[in-house]
Each structure stands twice: as structure tokens, then as C-alpha cells.
Amino acid sequence: ADVTAMAGAEPGEPNPEEFVYGEEDFVLQAVGWGDPDSAPSRFDRVLLAGWSDRMERGLFRYRLGPLPTRVLPGPVRLVAQLNEQRSAKRRPPQPVRSLRDPFDPGAFNFTRLRPAELLFRLRRAGGPGPPPEPLLVAINASPLERGHVLLLPEPARRLPQALTAPALRGALEAALLSAHPGFRVGFNGLGGGASVNHLHLHGLYLDRPLPLEEAAAEPLGPRLGLLRAGPAPAFLFFAPGPAALEPVSRAVCRAAEHLGRAGLACNVLATRGDPPAGPGAGGGRGLRVLLWARRPLFGPKAGEPFAVALCELAGLLPLPAEPLYRDITEVQALSAIRQHLLPEPELLHLGGELARLLER
């Protein structure tokens, strides 16, 4: 069966259906941007059908219709999107005091999700290599886009919001289960825009290509590049196919741990994209995994036009108010984003440290 009921769930625990997949379900070359609506995969069909069903049943904090969207004039081509309801109706972000805040059972966490908010549990059967830990796929009740979901390692383990290689690998496998070129997965760390201190990643369909999918990166080492496309430079890892997801997940998490020890917050985004040398260099598209290092922010920053998390760093600006959406310029947006980033010498020094760390 495509999706089977879960067996062996704890009494009283939500019991979502199981989405069992194998290597044959990976979509190695997603359709191009010219035809993103062609032939959704089994994963896309099940996810979007469940998501739309929950929207019809009123399980979200607001109804999400088409969002006004415009590309800001300028060389970076930032995509601005007006989403007033999200800023007005989403749950206020939890206060974060440090990069190492422990899980707080008294604060909102994902053990409190209503059973109907869970869509399915992702579980791989068969190769390549040992399967990642299963992930629960749940609606994000304050969605940025149609199909915006949370990817949750077993919530009962009560893990804080620190990225682990098994969770990241499960999320990267989910990215390869989609046939849509704009299905992306990402992570906001503590101090980097995470609003809940309980381990979770995001999955969402962004209906636009981003420059960071194909721009060439400067090599820093055999497995690491520096990508300057988009509004914020990122460290780039690349997985040409499913067999590379496990070592890439470990490398990204080792790098993220190094950032944490250095007092820096992080954000991660995985997207379909070209090899690090760019589209003309040969080799097929695979998964690009971007890691941003940033100064941590604890609590809201007065006077900021928008919060800066993984979408903003990638070049998508979900904006909370119509006048801001109408009037913001590329220069203003880049200024708001770049105040969180490291100065160039510090970034390059960090890149050298990460390249040496990953060669060991």
C-alpha cells in the first residue's frame, strides 16, 4: 500500500499514516522551471492533498490564498511577498536566551500538536545504506506558502532546536521525494529565527527559481564552497545523488556545531541545484545544501522591517504589511539582512576553519 496505518503507536499518541518509500521513489532530476506543474510525485500528491484537506477543515490559523508577489528592482532580484495574516495571527516566537537553551516542556512544543495536524510519518524501507530516522510531517499552522509543512523527528524525544545529522538526512531525502523544482527544506537555529525550541525542519514549495540554485561557488576545500549569490553569502555543500546525503548531512552538522562553539547562529536551506562550479561545468543537478553563519539575535530587534531567517537569507521576503511590501527597495532589504552577517574577513577566516575541519 502507498500509505499504511501506523502500527505500534503508544496508547493515546497520535497515530498518523505511514508513508513508506524506497530508493525507487527518489526523483533524481526534478522537472525544470518551465513546467513545474507537470507530474507531481507520489510524495507531492499525498502531502498536498493532506495539506489542502486540513485547510478546508479549518486547522490553520488563517486561510492562505494567492499572495501578492513582486521582484524588487536591482541586481539581487529579491522576491517580496505580502503575507499580512502570518504576522498578525502566528504564535509569538518563544524567547530564546542562548544558543544552547534546553528543551522547555512548559513552553509550546510539538508534543502538543492536535492529531489532525499530522499528515503522515515518513519512513524509508531498503537502501542506500541504513535508513534515516523516521520524520513526522505536520502542517505549519501559520503557513508561508501552500504545502508549508514541519518535518519532526519523534517529538516525544523532546530534542532542543539543534540540528542532528539523522534529522537533516531524513529532510534531504524528503527533498528528493518531490518532483517539484521548488520544494525546499530548511532549518532555523536558535538565535537564527527559530520560533520553537523543539527540533524541527521546514518543507515548503516556493514557486520561483532562486539565483542560489545555479550560481557558481568559490571552492574552499574539496567538499565546501562559498556561494555569494543572493543577499547573504553561504557555505555550500553538494549531494549529486542519494548516496551522498549521509556524508553531506554529517558534514553540515559538524560545521553547524563548529559555528555554535564559535558563538554563531545558523540557518540551512536545501534546494535542487547545479554542481558548485555552476551549470556549464558538467555534471547533473543534485541537492545544494547552504549553511549561513550569522550573529545570533535573542528577542525581537527594534526597528527591523522584517525578521531574518532562512527565507530572507535565500532571497524570499515574506512581508507583514502592505506599505512595506509596496515601498521597500533592494538597498533597504539588503541592509536589514546584512546587519546580521559576519564581516568579510571573519567570514573567510571561518570558511578556512570549516574547510580544515571537514578534511579531518
Side-chain angles (χ1 to χ4, degrees):
D2 271 7
V3 182
T4 53
M6 278 282 298
E10 294 295 314
E13 284 285 298
N15 190 5
E17 293 181 314
E18 201 161 55
F19 184 101
V20 180
Y21 65 96
E23 193 170 4
E24 68 281 1
D25 289 295
F26 290 136
V27 181
L28 299 183
Q29 296 293 331
V31 298
W33 277 106
D35 195 13
D37 294 324
S38 69
S41 67
R42 179 167 71 96
F43 172 84
D44 295 319
R45 291 194 304 270
V46 172
L47 188 156
L48 291 169
W51 196 92
S52 299
D53 167 72
R54 303 321 191 267
M55 181 62 77
E56 290 306 313
R57 285 158 59 184
L59 289 163
F60 290 81
R61 288 176 168 247
Y62 47 86
R63 275 196 81 82
L64 188 72
L67 296 170
T69 302
R70 72 185 187 97
V71 176
L72 302 190
V76 183
R77 298 193 57 74
L78 297 169
V79 179
Q81 203 162 54
L82 178 62
N83 193 338
E84 294 172 290
Q85 295 187 97
R86 179 174 162 85
S87 61
K89 297 180 179 176
R90 68 181 292 204
R91 182 182 293 105
Q94 288 173 11
V96 175
R97 290 167 293 279
S98 82
L99 296 172
R100 302 188 186 282
D101 272 8
F103 177 85
D104 177 1
F108 172 79
N109 62 75
F110 299 119
T111 65
R112 301 184 186 181
L113 291 178
R114 295 169 289 180
E117 293 180 72
L118 303 174
L119 300 179
F120 50 86
R121 175 177 268 128
L122 267 179
R123 181 172 69 79
R124 174 153 69 76
E133 59 189 71
L135 292 177
L136 281 172
V137 179
I139 62 169
N140 187 322
S142 302
L144 283 163
E145 283 275 10
R146 184 176 81 107
H148 185 179
V149 293
L150 301 170
L151 304 171
L152 309 170
E154 183 47 63
R157 291 168 59 196
R158 302 181 170 214
L159 299 170
Q161 183 68 348
L163 195 57
T164 67
L168 177 59
R169 184 158 64 101
L172 297 183
E173 292 198 355
L176 287 188
L177 290 173
S178 172
H180 191 290
F183 182 74
R184 289 144 175 154
V185 299
F187 172 83
N188 293 318
L190 295 178
S195 59
V196 177
N197 185 13
H198 191 182
L199 183 53
H200 66 288
L201 295 96
H202 294 266
L204 65 168
Y205 293 84
L206 300 178
D207 279 332
R208 288 177 175 263
L210 296 169
L212 44 73
E213 289 170 38
E214 59 177 31
E218 302 163 24
L220 296 175
R223 292 186 292 166
L224 186 69
L226 181 63
L227 186 69
R228 294 185 185 272
F235 297 111
L236 176 66
F237 303 76
F238 184 70
L245 298 183
E246 202 268 340
V248 163
S249 301
R250 278 190 288 119
V252 171
C253 288
R254 284 183 72 195
E257 286 165 13
H258 182 84
L259 299 189
R261 289 193 295 272
L264 298 170
C266 74
N267 302 84
V268 175
L269 177 78
T271 181
R272 301 269 184 177
D274 289 295
R285 283 166 70 88
L287 272 188
R288 285 186 164 204
V289 185
L290 292 90
L291 171 70
W292 286 278
R294 57 184 288 173
R295 304 201 180 288
L297 179 65
F298 303 119
K301 189 160 182 177
E304 277 205 304
F306 50 81
V308 175
L310 71 92
C311 284
E312 292 77 10
L313 293 167
L316 176 78
L317 312 179
L319 298 175
E322 204 281 329
L324 179 65
Y325 168 76
R326 185 185 64 230
D327 298 334
I328 194 166
T329 65
E330 182 180 271
V331 169
Q332 291 167 331
L334 291 177
S335 169
I337 292 168
R338 289 177 176 166
Q339 63 178 321
H340 297 278
L341 306 180
L342 306 180
E344 177 87 357
E346 207 174 316
L347 180 73
L348 293 175
H349 178 75
L350 180 62
E353 289 182 342
L354 292 179
R356 288 189 293 276
L357 173 79
L358 296 174
E359 282 167 37
R360 291 208 293 270

